[in-house]
Amino acid sequence: KDYFKVISQNTYALAPGAQEHEIVLNNAGGDDRKVAHIIEVDPNNTDIEILPGYYEIDKFDPEDSSTWKTAGVTAVADYYANELDYNVVGAMNTALQYTNNAPYGFMVYNGQVLANNDLAKGAQTYLAVTKKDDGTVEFDLRSISEALHGDEWQAVSANFGWLVNDGKLSSTSVERTSSDASRSMLGIKADGTLVICQVDGRNAPISTGLSNYEMGEMMLALGCVYAVNGDGGGSSSFVTKRSGSDELVMRSVPSDGSERPTINSIIVVSKAGAS
């Protein structure tokens, strides 16, 4: 936990209930710089909403493969903003499908189950959002083997497995030798806050990325008691619209040199209007 030191940290308001952090880390030798982009979402603020990202989700038909779409996170966020009239303040990729363009694992949109882990297999985890009677929400990270409970308002899958479970690292071996890469992760703090975290990679000396072990280490350091791994590498991308701006901007640096189309993402929406 003492390997990396915080070199700089900046915080930006996105909307009531959501804020963005940009954190730069490095090791003692100064040769392992990492740039992290983070959104924290307050489950108790009824003006913020989390949606599953899927291109042209309003036209999706599980019975018609011609409606199964893929696009980069920026295009998905722009579609939600311009075509679906959401005030999108942030977005990050969660899953890349390799065989077809069906949503990966589970996808629930505004209470409607669009995919029930029956169209595209392979996701290991998913985020479920349920509404409480007072209008607040509960974020829940689950293994893909856990079926939908039937009361989910939103749900979206992540490609890979657990990084942190019940406050403990899922990886039991301390290693920094596996390949560093861009990473996209989801976590939940003890107070229910949702943490959306993307780390740039394969771009030394600007940002080297994270190894498998370091992903869990990062999410623990951010206060997460549960965390899962989304798709990384060239898929890893992160956009926000900061308070006072009307433009969604990619804050990450895609390691492919340009955005890679992805199947699913997570969309952060403000219902409070422009700020």
Side-chain angles (χ1 to χ4, degrees):
K1 66 181 180 180
D2 296 323
Y3 184 76
F4 292 108
K5 302 296 182 183
V6 175
I7 305 304
S8 66
Q9 178 171 338
N10 294 297
T11 297
Y12 307 92
L14 298 179
Q19 61 179 353
E20 174 190 354
H21 308 287
E22 183 182 271
I23 301 175
V24 178
L25 308 171
N26 214 327
N27 64 358
D31 60 358
D32 200 4
R33 189 175 190 267
K34 302 175 189 296
V35 180
H37 309 277
I38 300 151
I39 300 173
E40 292 188 331
V41 179
D42 181 1
N44 298 310
N45 192 309
T46 57
D47 283 329
I48 204 77
E49 188 169 16
I50 294 296
L51 304 177
Y54 186 83
Y55 193 62
E56 296 186 356
I57 194 170
D58 57 320
K59 301 175 183 176
F60 175 79
D61 181 350
E63 304 296 330
D64 181 0
S65 61
S66 71
T67 68
W68 302 357
K69 304 287 185 177
T70 183
V73 169
T74 297
V76 175
D78 284 342
Y79 186 86
Y80 277 57
N82 299 326
E83 302 299 326
L84 303 182
D85 203 28
Y86 287 111
N87 179 25
V88 178
V89 298
M92 185 190 76
N93 69 298
T94 62
L96 174 70
Q97 173 53 253
Y98 300 96
T99 56
N100 59 49
N101 291 335
Y104 221 11
F106 295 108
M107 187 168 73
V108 180
Y109 175 56
N110 292 340
Q112 182 181 3
V113 178
L114 299 180
N116 199 13
N117 197 28
D118 52 357
L119 297 177
K121 302 282 188 179
Q124 296 183 31
T125 54
Y126 70 104
L127 172 72
V129 183
T130 55
K131 281 188 176 182
K132 299 180 181 179
D133 291 341
D134 61 0
T136 63
V137 299
E138 181 177 1
F139 300 119
D140 187 16
L141 288 168
R142 303 172 184 168
S143 294
I144 204 72
S145 58
E146 182 175 349
L148 294 172
H149 298 179
D151 59 351
E152 292 83 5
W153 184 240
Q154 316 287 350
V156 65
S157 292
N159 269 74
F160 299 116
W162 294 95
L163 301 171
V164 178
N165 202 327
D166 199 20
K168 298 178 182 178
L169 284 171
S170 294
S171 174
T172 57
S173 62
V174 178
E175 55 81 19
R176 303 183 189 282
T177 57
S178 67
S179 297
D180 287 343
S182 309
R183 306 291 186 179
S184 297
M185 302 162 283
L186 297 174
I188 299 174
K189 294 185 176 185
D191 65 359
T193 297
L194 177 66
V195 177
I196 301 166
C197 178
Q198 185 272 337
V199 178
D200 289 338
R202 299 174 181 167
N203 188 29
I206 303 303
S207 187
T208 59
L210 298 178
S211 69
N212 292 335
Y213 172 81
E214 289 166 353
M215 284 189 282
E217 195 178 36
M218 166 73 79
M219 298 307 277
L220 266 184
L222 292 174
C224 297
V225 292
Y226 296 96
V228 300
N229 181 15
D231 196 73
S235 302
S236 195
S237 44
F238 179 100
V239 301
T240 61
K241 182 174 69 175
R242 294 171 180 168
S243 180
S245 172
D246 59 1
E247 182 181 5
L248 283 162
V249 176
M250 176 170 283
R251 309 296 176 183
S252 59
V253 180
S255 63
D256 283 355
S258 60
E259 271 192 272
R260 179 188 292 175
T262 60
I263 291 293
N264 282 120
S265 52
I266 186 166
I267 307 290
V268 184
V269 167
S270 174
K271 296 184 285 186
S275 58

